[in-house]
Amino acid sequence: MLQRLLCITLFFVNGVTSYAQWANATIDSITINADRDQIDYNQSLVMGNNGNLHAVYQRARGGGGWDIYYRERDALTAMWSPEVMINDSANMAFSPAIAIDPNTDEVCIAFEANNGNSLLMVAKNAMGTWTKQAVSMPANSNSSATITIDLLSNVHVAWITEDSANVYKIAYATDESGSFATQVLTGSDPGPFGSGAAPYITCSDTGAAYIAYRGGNFGTYKIHIANNDDLGSANWSYNVFASPNGEDYINQLQIGPNNTMHLMVAGNGCWGCPWNAYYYDKPAGGNWSGPSQINTSAAGEVYEFAIDQQGNVHCLINEVSGNFYTGNVYHATNAGGSWNSNALIADGATYNAHMLLDANDKGYAIAHSGNSSPDMEVIVIGEKQSTVGMAPTPASMALSIFPNPATERIFIRSPHVGQLDVYNYNGQLVHQQRYNGNNAVIHTATWNKGIYLLQLTTATSRVSKQLIVQ
């Protein structure tokens, strides 16, 4: 796995220099194990105001189903935190979606938990402590969660459920009243095969929710959009959106600056026909534009997209040939006034890729890589160190390690008192001790060779340093 990733990295860095979003980008594998790790096709990666990346992914568990894991990458050290399992070990979990509070950087993850009854859950991380709350009542189906957090820090969740007649419907909940209030959208129409409706939620500046999903019946699928008129309102409007495709299966909907709406849809016209993706926008108070074809170089699907500081749209195309994914990924943008796309990764083994842009318009993408179950790993593409929100470490939080690289032992020096934790490349805690402000010695002779993260945590701050053991 590591050797193959090195080859991809060389291709990637040399192959996309025409797009500034990917300059200096590398490929970082955040799972390396004998298990099957993968992401869902949306909302698997977010970035905080401090430049830290937050990722959520799934790992196959014995006996079927998945466990959900979370990791955070420090913008300063470029090191990933240890894995945190989000679901309870007694319950299988499915389809996680992650969002981040624009005001507090608090992370929320929505997912389906299932131990015979299906529950829609939301997990929140406040100051390092995870709490979980059931949003739905138990039902035959509470699946395909999508989540967003508005400018007032209200959490909004949408998912697929079944009503009392076992008909698929879209469900919605927000916590604007302090606890989640759930609605079933009676006018929604996911159709008889509604488990594949794949909803996606976004919000306006005022907290009104917009939910796009695949609606209708097989052979006539189109993208449907449901929206309410205010924060938490039960007054919903419903619209069906038709593209040049015979059928549409995939959609993305975002509300950008000035409440301009941006929509992407992808589909085809028949079994085995080429997949095409189209883009539309709608200014506040205006009408939808006509379709602009996104995939100029390859047929494929588009997932979560990003809008840069100039209002240009960027997305990743997951190439499809006939009815099969090729494992190749293209970057597409309408910068310059028209859509164009170029190969980003052409290794034939990268899937479900979707992206975000930081405040400096640098691109970051998440995907899973590998063509066999044990070989599937989660990768993040982008610069190793983000410059967003970074501030220099105060001199009072200085931390020195000597020697580095190390073989038998290291010496630690810092003026602060706190806890020392050392994590290996896989995020496993390998050493822990109290640090009293004096020189400390840690013996490393029995450690495996590789890269480690050493963290000193005080009552008010945390500083991290990379350590190499040879």
Side-chain angles (χ1 to χ4, degrees), residues 120-141:
L120 199 288
M121 305 288 294
V122 169
K124 293 185 178 182
N125 183 5
M127 303 297 292
T129 300
W130 286 94
T131 59
K132 293 185 282 290
Q133 180 179 353
V135 178
S136 71
M137 297 296 290
N140 293 331
S141 177

Side-chain angles (χ1 to χ4, degrees), residues 178-331:
S179 60
F180 281 102
T182 300
Q183 306 176 37
V184 175
L185 278 57
T186 56
S188 61
D189 179 25
F193 303 100
S195 60
Y200 191 93
I201 190 170
T202 190
C203 282
S204 70
D205 290 347
T206 62
Y210 290 77
I211 306 168
Y213 63 96
R214 187 204 73 187
N217 203 348
F218 180 76
T220 59
Y221 288 134
K222 294 296 179 183
I223 300 306
H224 294 208
I225 300 176
N227 67 279
N228 60 4
D229 54 7
D230 202 358
L231 174 62
S233 170
N235 183 26
W236 291 88
S237 299
Y238 303 92
N239 294 282
V240 178
F241 204 94
S243 82
N245 291 319
E247 288 191 285
D248 289 314
Y249 305 95
I250 303 296
N251 78 90
Q252 294 302 308
L253 181 66
Q254 291 191 30
I255 300 178
N258 302 315
N259 278 326
T260 297
M261 300 188 71
H262 304 264
L263 175 68
M264 289 186 180
V265 301
N268 62 9
C270 64
W271 177 262
C273 290
W275 277 70
N276 290 312
Y278 293 92
Y279 166 77
Y280 304 79
D281 64 1
K282 177 182 177 295
N287 298 316
W288 285 102
S289 68
S292 299
Q293 189 167 347
I294 297 168
N295 54 309
T296 59
S297 300
E301 296 182 0
V302 292
Y303 303 137
E304 202 161 27
F305 60 89
I307 304 168
D308 67 24
Q309 300 298 310
Q310 290 73 45
N312 302 310
V313 181
H314 301 256
C315 68
L316 298 183
I317 299 172
N318 293 261
E319 187 181 34
V320 177
S321 178
N323 291 299
F324 299 95
Y325 298 99
T326 67
N328 299 324
V329 178
Y330 290 71
H331 174 207

Side-chain angles (χ1 to χ4, degrees), residues 19-91:
Y19 286 140
Q21 287 75 24
W22 306 106
N24 305 316
T26 61
I27 296 180
D28 189 8
S29 182
I30 65 172
T31 63
I32 302 176
N33 52 50
D35 300 313
R36 179 180 179 180
D37 295 290
Q38 69 180 51
I39 62 166
D40 220 344
Y41 49 82
N42 280 316
Q43 298 186 314
S44 300
L45 185 71
V46 293
M47 177 178 282
N49 295 312
N50 60 2
N52 287 8
L53 288 171
H54 306 260
V56 65
Y57 51 94
Q58 304 174 109
R59 177 169 299 149
R61 58 190 283 169
W66 303 86
D67 290 320
I68 294 171
Y69 289 89
Y70 161 85
R71 294 186 79 175
E72 177 182 3
R73 195 184 80 175
D74 189 284
L76 183 62
T77 65
M79 296 293 289
W80 289 93
S81 68
E83 287 185 330
V84 176
M85 192 169 83
I86 299 301
N87 59 295
D88 297 326
S89 59
N91 298 329

